[in-house]
Amino acid sequence: MGSLLFPLFKTGMSAEMAWRTVSIVPAIVAFTTGITVYFISDDSPKGNYSDLKKHGNMPEVSAAASFRSGAMNFNTWILFIQYACCFGVELTMNNAAALYFREEFNQSTEAAAAIASIFGWMNLFARGVGGFASDKMSARM
């Protein structure tokens, strides 16, 4: 988001002020989305947890028991390790790519950040396709 908004904000202010201002935009969007989801969404596809528990459609389970069940599941640990490795690579790429493009190819900061942001957009697409493929493969098992 910063790569898209930075050139717009830079037109009327200094570069130092522009990147600070651009950083506020995703925070406002995320906060607004969070409040909206909190008020208009259900807890699960079957409805809100409080209603399901009140009508006896959902058993009462403590948070500790639920956490223990998830922590003892082997699949949880496999997914944790895979995600930790992938996310570490993504953070490294996101942080190092813009600097690399700026220094090695003499790009401006804005251009280098825009080029580096392509990696993040690619991951956004790849995660969706990966989740879809995983769901389809899991349905066969």
Side-chain angles (χ1 to χ4, degrees), residues 6 9-10 12-24:
F6 188 73
F9 279 84
K10 191 177 175 192
M13 54 185 82
S14 68
E16 291 78 23
M17 187 63 180
W19 76 262
R20 288 182 176 89
T21 308
V22 167
S23 297
I24 294 171

Side-chain angles (χ1 to χ4, degrees), residues 41-110:
S41 70
D42 293 332
D43 294 335
S44 73
K46 295 181 180 180
N48 289 325
Y49 292 147
S50 59
D51 295 337
L52 292 172
K53 289 177 185 176
K54 185 169 48 174
H55 298 308
N57 296 332
M58 181 178 175
E60 190 74 39
V61 179
S62 71
S66 180
F67 178 78
R68 192 177 314 108
S69 173
M72 299 302 285
N73 188 332
F74 181 70
N75 291 332
T76 302
W77 288 101
I78 296 296
L79 289 172
F80 170 76
I81 291 167
Q82 289 175 341
Y83 189 76
C85 293
C86 293
F87 194 60
V89 169
E90 183 177 349
L91 287 177
T92 301
M93 284 298 298
N94 290 340
N95 288 328
L99 182 63
Y100 176 77
F101 292 137
R102 191 179 63 135
E103 291 179 356
E104 294 297 320
F105 298 106
N106 297 322
Q107 296 290 320
S108 67
T109 302
E110 296 85 7

Side-chain angles (χ1 to χ4, degrees), residues 25-43:
V25 174
I28 292 170
V29 170
F31 182 77
T32 305
T33 303
I35 295 296
T36 304
V37 168
Y38 179 78
F39 283 110
I40 69 168
S41 70
D42 293 332
D43 294 335

